[in-house]
C-alpha cells in the first residue's frame, strides 16, 4: 500500500479529465464517473478494491433497472484509486437522481463519488435537482463545510473510512457464504435417489417429512449462517474456542426457527451445528484461505477442540437426550461432534473428492452428489444408522456402499433405487452422511464459486 504524492494525485486528476472528454466524444450522450473518496495518502488497499467492485455492481444494477443494456464502460486502475466510466443515453437528471440513490443506499456508499457529466462536459449537481447535499462522514453537518473548516482530523476520517469498508465487506461475505451454505442444504435434499433419505422423489424412511419440509427448514437458516460468519469475523482475534462458544446461542435460536418452520420436525439439527461451525470458521479465516478445504477443516478442528470430551464423557444414561449421546455411551462413537472435532475429515477427504471426480467425468450435480453420498456411506460411522438398526446395520451399509463403488464406480441410478427400497423397508436412514453431503456441496461451492 504505497502512499501517493500530491504531484501524482494532480497528474491523475488531469488524466481523468482528459479521459472523460475522450469518452464523451467517442460515445456521445452522458457519462457517469465513479471514484471512491478515500482520505489520506493511501488510496489503494485490499479493502478499496472490494468496495470499488461493490460500487460497480450497484451502478450496473441501477442502470439495468432504468432499462439500459450493453452499456459502454471502462474501468481504470491508478495509484489514486480505481475509476469507472459508464456512457449512458438517458436524461442527465434521471441519471443523477439514480446515482444519488446509490450514494444514500448504504453506509459504505458514503465513500462513493458518482458524478454525472452531460454531453458538453458539464457536471450535474445535487442542488440543481433540489436534492440534499452530502453529509460529513463523522457528523450531521454538510460535508463541504466540514472539509473547508477541517473540522475532523485525518486520523479520524481514516479510521471511519476503514470501519465502513470492513463492515461492508463482512456483510457482503456473510451473505455470500450463507447463500452457499443454504444451497448445499437444498442440493443435498433434492439429490435423488438417496437410500433411506428424503429427496425430491420420496421420503425414504421418514414418514413425518418430505422435500417441502426440508425446503421450509433450509429457508429459515440463511440469516443464522450469515450471523455465524459475522461472529467468526468479529472474534477472529480471540481463541478459536471462544468463537465456538459464541456460536452456541445463535445455534439454539436457529433450531427453534427450524422447528417452527417444520412443525417440530427435526430436519436440520445436525446441519445447524456443522454448517454454522463452518461459517464461523470462514469468518475467522482470511480471504485467501477460504477456498482451501484443509484450511477450513483445520479451523473447525481448532474451534471444536475437546467437544466430545466436554459433552459426552461421563454422562449417565438418565441424562442422555439424543441419539448421538446414546450411541456414544453404548459404542464410544462420537458422531457429528467427533467429526467436527477432527475438522469433518470424511467430507473433506472422501465426499469432496468423490463429488469432484464425478463432475470431472461429466456427471451432473445430482449424480455426482449421489456418488459422494455412497462414498461417505462407505467410510462414515453414522450414528443415525446405529440408532435405527444397531452396529450391524452400520457395518452392512458400509460394506454395501463399498461393494457398489468397487463394482460401478459412479453408482447406477437403478442400483440406488433398489437400495432405497431396501433401506426404506428396514426403516434405516444415513442421516449423518446426508449432513456430510451438504458439507461436501458447500466445500465444493467455496472452491468453485467466484
Amino acid at each position: 500500500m504505497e502512499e501517493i504524492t500530491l504531484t501524482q494525485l494532480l497528474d491523475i486528476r488531469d488524466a481523468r479529465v482528459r479521459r472523460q472528454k475522450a469518452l464523451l466524444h467517442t460515445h456521445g450522450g452522458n457519462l457517469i464517473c465513479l471514484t471512491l473518496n478515500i482520505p489520506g495518502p493511501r488510496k489503494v488497499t485490499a479493502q478499496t478494491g472490494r468496495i470499488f467492485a461493490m460500487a460497480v455492481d450497484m451502478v450496473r444494477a441501477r442502470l439495468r433497472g432504468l432499462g439500459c443494456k450493453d452499456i459502454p464502460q471502462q474501468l481504470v486502475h491508478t495509484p489514486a484509486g480505481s475509476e469507472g466510466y459508464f456512457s449512458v443515453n438517458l436524461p442527465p437528471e434521471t441519471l443523477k437522481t439514480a446515482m444519488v440513490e446509490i450514494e444514500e443506499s448504504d453506509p459504505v456508499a458514503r465513500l462513493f463519488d458518482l458524478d454525472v457529466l452531460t454531453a458538453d462536459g458539464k457536471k450535474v449537481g445535487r442542488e440543481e435537482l433540489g436534492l440534499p447535499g452530502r453529509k460529513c462522514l463523522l457528523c450531521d453537518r454538510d460535508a463541504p463545510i466540514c472539509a473547508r473548516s477541517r473540522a475532523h482530523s485525518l486520523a479520524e476520517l481514516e479510521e471511519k473510512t476503514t470501519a465502513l469498508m470492513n463492515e461492508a465487506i463482512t456483510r457482503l461475505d456473510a451473505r455470500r457464504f450463507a447463500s452457499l451454505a443454504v444451497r448445499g442444504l437444498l442440493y443435498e435434499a433434492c439429490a435423488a435417489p438417496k437410500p433411506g433419505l428424503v429427496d425430491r422423489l420420496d421420503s425414504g424412511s421418514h414418514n413425518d417429512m418430505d422435500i417441502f419440509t426440508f425446503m421450509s427448514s433450509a429457508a429459515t437458516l440463511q440469516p443464522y449462517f450469515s450471523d455465524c460468519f459475522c461472529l467468526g469475523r468479529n472474534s477472529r482475534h480471540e481463541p478459536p474456542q471462544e468463537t465456538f462458544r459464541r456460536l452456541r446461542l445463535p445455534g439454539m435460536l436457529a433450531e427453534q426457527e427450524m422447528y417452527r418452520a417444520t412443525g417440530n420436525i427435526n430436519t436440520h439439527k445436525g446441519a445447524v451445528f456443522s454448517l454454522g461451525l463452518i461459517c464461523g470458521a470462514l469468518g475467522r479465516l482470511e480471504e485467501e484461505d477460504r477456498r482451501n478445504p484443509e484450511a477450513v477443516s483445520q479451523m473447525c478442528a481448532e474451534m471444536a477442540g475437546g467437544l466430545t470430551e466436554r459433552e459426552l464423557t461421563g454422562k449417565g444414561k438418565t441424562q442422555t437426550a439424543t441419539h448421538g449421546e446414546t450411541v456414544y455411551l453404548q459404542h464410544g462413537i462420537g458422531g457429528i461432534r467427533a467429526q467436527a472435532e477432527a475438522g469433518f475429515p470424511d467430507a473433506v477427504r472422501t465426499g469432496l473428492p468423490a463429488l469432484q471426480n464425478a463432475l470431472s467425468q461429466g456427471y451432473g450435480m445430482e449424480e455426482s452428489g449421489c456418488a459422494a453420498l455412497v462414498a461417505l456411506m462407505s467410510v462414515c460411522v453414522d450414528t443415525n444408522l446405529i440408532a435405527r438398526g444397531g452396529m450391524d446395520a452400520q457395518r452392512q451399509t458400509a460394506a454395501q456402499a463399498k461393494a457398489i463403488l468397487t463394482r460401478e464406480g459412479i453408482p447406477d441410478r437403478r442400483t440406488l433405487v433398489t437400495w432405497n427400497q431396501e433401506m426404506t423397508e428396514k426403516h434405516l436412514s444415513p442421516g449423518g452422511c446426508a449432513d456430510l453431503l451438504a458439507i461436501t456441496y458447500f466445500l465444493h461451492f467455496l472452491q468453485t464459486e467466484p
Side-chain angles (χ1 to χ4, degrees):
M1 298 184 293
E2 296 183 359
E3 295 187 1
I4 190 169
T5 66
L6 178 59
T7 300
Q8 287 177 302
L9 187 61
L10 294 175
D11 289 343
I12 290 168
R13 287 179 178 174
D14 289 341
R16 185 184 305 159
V17 171
R18 293 193 296 272
R19 192 174 294 112
Q20 290 169 347
K21 290 180 179 178
L23 289 169
L24 285 168
H25 176 75
T26 300
H27 298 291
N30 303 298
L31 183 69
I32 297 170
C33 176
L34 163 66
T35 56
L36 298 181
N37 289 314
I38 306 297
R42 294 182 180 87
K43 305 291 187 182
V44 180
T45 66
Q47 291 97 330
T48 60
R50 292 285 307 276
I51 297 304
F52 181 77
M54 173 185 175
V56 170
D57 287 344
M58 293 174 75
V59 171
R60 289 172 175 165
R62 189 66 188 90
L63 292 177
R64 284 196 297 270
L66 292 172
C68 299
K69 299 179 180 179
D70 300 323
I71 306 162
Q73 65 178 48
Q74 183 177 357
L75 304 181
V76 179
H77 307 289
T78 79
S82 297
E83 304 170 2
Y85 300 94
F86 307 84
S87 299
V88 188
N89 190 22
L90 284 176
E93 298 81 7
T94 300
L95 292 177
K96 185 62 180 179
T97 299
M99 295 306 103
V100 170
E101 289 176 6
I102 293 175
E103 291 175 341
E104 303 294 336
S105 66
D106 187 278
V108 79
R110 300 281 294 278
L111 305 179
F112 301 173
D113 196 357
L114 285 161
D115 290 335
V116 174
L117 304 179
T118 61
D120 58 3
K122 178 186 175 185
K123 184 184 294 187
V124 181
R126 289 180 173 222
E127 62 281 356
E128 297 176 38
L129 304 179
L131 299 173
R134 305 200 76 169
K135 298 297 182 181
C136 172
L137 281 177
L138 296 170
C139 67
D140 291 332
R141 291 187 294 178
D142 291 340
I145 294 176
C146 286
R148 285 194 299 269
S149 65
R150 300 184 181 229
H152 310 290
S153 70
L154 177 59
E156 290 176 304
L157 292 168
E158 288 180 323
E159 182 180 3
K160 180 64 173 180
T161 298
T162 299
L164 286 172
M165 291 193 292
N166 287 340
E167 290 165 6
I169 290 169
T170 296
R171 290 198 308 273
L172 284 172
D173 288 341
R175 286 198 295 266
R176 173 173 172 262
F177 293 127
S179 175
L180 296 181
V182 171
R183 194 194 302 182
L185 290 178
L186 293 174
Y187 277 40
E188 181 280 315
C190 290
K194 296 198 302 290
L197 295 165
V198 173
D199 57 38
R200 62 183 179 80
L201 299 178
D202 63 38
S203 296
S205 300
H206 299 271
N207 297 325
D208 59 343
M209 60 184 79
D210 58 20
I211 188 64
F212 293 100
T213 319
F214 272 76
M215 289 193 290
S216 296
S217 174
T220 69
L221 296 178
Q222 186 156 337
Y224 160 68
F225 293 138
S226 178
D227 289 345
C228 290
F229 176 88
C230 292
L231 279 171
R233 196 69 191 149
N234 294 335
S235 62
R236 66 189 183 279
H237 300 303
E238 300 288 337
Q241 291 187 358
E242 173 60 19
T243 299
F244 184 86
R245 185 190 68 79
R246 296 186 189 185
L247 291 172
R248 184 172 295 276
L249 179 57
M252 293 176 180
L253 295 174
E255 283 184 18
Q256 290 183 12
E257 288 297 315
M258 174 195 73
Y259 285 124
R260 187 176 294 115
T262 63
N264 291 319
I265 297 171
N266 175 14
T267 47
H268 285 128
K269 186 172 182 178
V272 166
F273 168 76
S274 55
L275 292 181
L277 176 61
I278 293 173
C279 287
L282 291 169
R284 290 185 62 90
L285 290 170
E286 294 306 319
E287 188 174 354
E288 61 270 17
D289 291 325
R290 294 171 185 164
R291 292 180 179 270
N292 181 352
E294 291 294 341
V296 176
S297 172
Q298 179 62 33
M299 182 57 71
C300 288
E302 292 176 12
M303 290 168 61
L307 176 62
T308 305
E309 177 74 18
R310 289 196 307 272
E311 295 200 355
L312 297 183
T313 300
K315 286 189 175 182
K317 292 184 180 180
T318 58
Q319 297 171 294
T320 300
T322 69
H323 290 314
E325 290 167 353
T326 301
V327 170
Y328 184 79
L329 289 170
Q330 293 176 348
H331 304 287
I333 296 169
I336 192 63
R337 293 175 178 87
Q339 280 282 330
E341 197 169 354
F344 304 106
D346 288 349
V348 173
R349 292 165 200 153
T350 297
L352 185 60
L355 175 74
Q356 295 180 336
N357 173 59
L359 289 170
S360 71
Q361 295 183 49
Y363 291 92
M365 273 292 180
E366 180 167 67
E367 298 93 338
S368 300
C370 290
L373 176 66
V374 175
L376 288 165
M377 292 169 69
S378 74
V379 299
C380 175
V381 181
D382 193 317
T383 56
N384 287 270
L385 271 175
I386 297 170
R388 284 175 173 252
M391 287 300 298
D392 285 344
Q394 163 61 43
R395 284 190 287 265
Q396 290 168 9
T397 298
Q400 191 166 355
K402 289 174 184 176
I404 291 171
L405 294 172
T406 300
R407 183 176 67 246
E408 302 178 10
I410 306 299
D412 184 79
R413 185 178 185 85
R414 289 168 296 184
T415 299
L416 295 177
V417 168
T418 300
W419 198 10
N420 179 45
Q421 292 171 345
E422 295 171 358
M423 295 281 279
T424 299
E425 289 171 1
K426 297 176 182 177
H427 304 290
L428 298 177
S429 172
C433 292
D435 288 342
L436 292 174
L437 177 57
I439 294 172
T440 296
Y441 274 126
F442 187 23
L443 292 174
H444 172 71
F445 299 146
L446 291 176
Q447 282 191 306
T448 58
E449 294 292 311

